Amino acid sequence: MAGQRGRSADQGARRRTAGGGSAGRPRPLRAGPALPAVVAVGLPVVGAVVDELSGPGMGLVFAVSAVLGTGLAAALSGRNGWWWVLAASPLVVLGVTAAVELAAHRDRYLGKGLATGAAKWVVHGFPVMAEAAAAAVIVIAVRLVRARRQHG
């Protein structure tokens, strides 16, 4: 092959197809480092907006989307990203809740109302934070068990 020194065209072609699906094994999804972050933040934002438009405050749609977003982010991340997903999931839940609530009800959160609202967001958001972190732990544990079974 042109441009390859000391290697025949057959060797270059074999090397390129060695990682392909030709061996019957499914190839893992190759996601860039931004995809888990987009999923981890994007799904909760969509859920929060849906909940805010359908009724006051964060509800079931937000909780499910936050848990699903965190679980998918853990599934898409590598080992180095797992700790980021675990550490960021409560912050994402709190941040998305605050951003959507402030955008929807700016007049409620003036002066002392902001401190009261922030306390409410933490208290009401805690179960969602814990469920999202639990989803990440479960996905990580499943991935570790599957990797150990494949390698030994």
Side-chain angles (χ1 to χ4, degrees):
M1 180 171 214
Q4 292 184 343
R5 294 184 186 181
R7 212 182 282 155
S8 71
D10 289 335
Q11 288 172 334
R14 277 184 276 167
R15 176 172 272 175
R16 282 190 303 273
T17 60
S22 61
R25 291 186 302 177
R27 289 181 9 181
L29 178 65
R30 294 182 189 255
L35 184 60
V38 169
V39 170
V41 176
L43 281 175
V45 167
V46 169
V49 169
V50 167
D51 268 347
E52 192 60 49
L53 292 175
S54 64
M58 301 298 112
L60 184 62
V61 176
F62 172 66
V64 168
S65 64
V67 170
L68 186 61
T70 303
L72 286 174
L76 292 171
S77 297
R79 286 181 177 258
N80 293 336
W82 290 343
W83 300 114
W84 286 103
V85 172
L86 280 170
S89 63
L91 299 174
V92 167
V93 168
L94 184 59
V96 168
T97 301
V100 171
E101 282 287 321
L102 284 171
H105 308 286
R106 185 168 299 263
D107 55 330
R108 273 190 213 166
Y109 302 113
L110 297 174
K112 294 178 183 177
L114 181 60
T116 304
K120 182 181 78 169
W121 301 331
V122 171
V123 170
H124 290 252
F126 183 77
V128 179
M129 293 177 202
E131 291 162 356
V137 168
I138 290 169
V139 169
I140 292 167
V142 167
R143 285 186 64 189
L144 286 172
V145 168
R146 288 182 67 196
R148 287 191 180 149
R149 285 186 182 170
Q150 287 177 353
H151 293 297

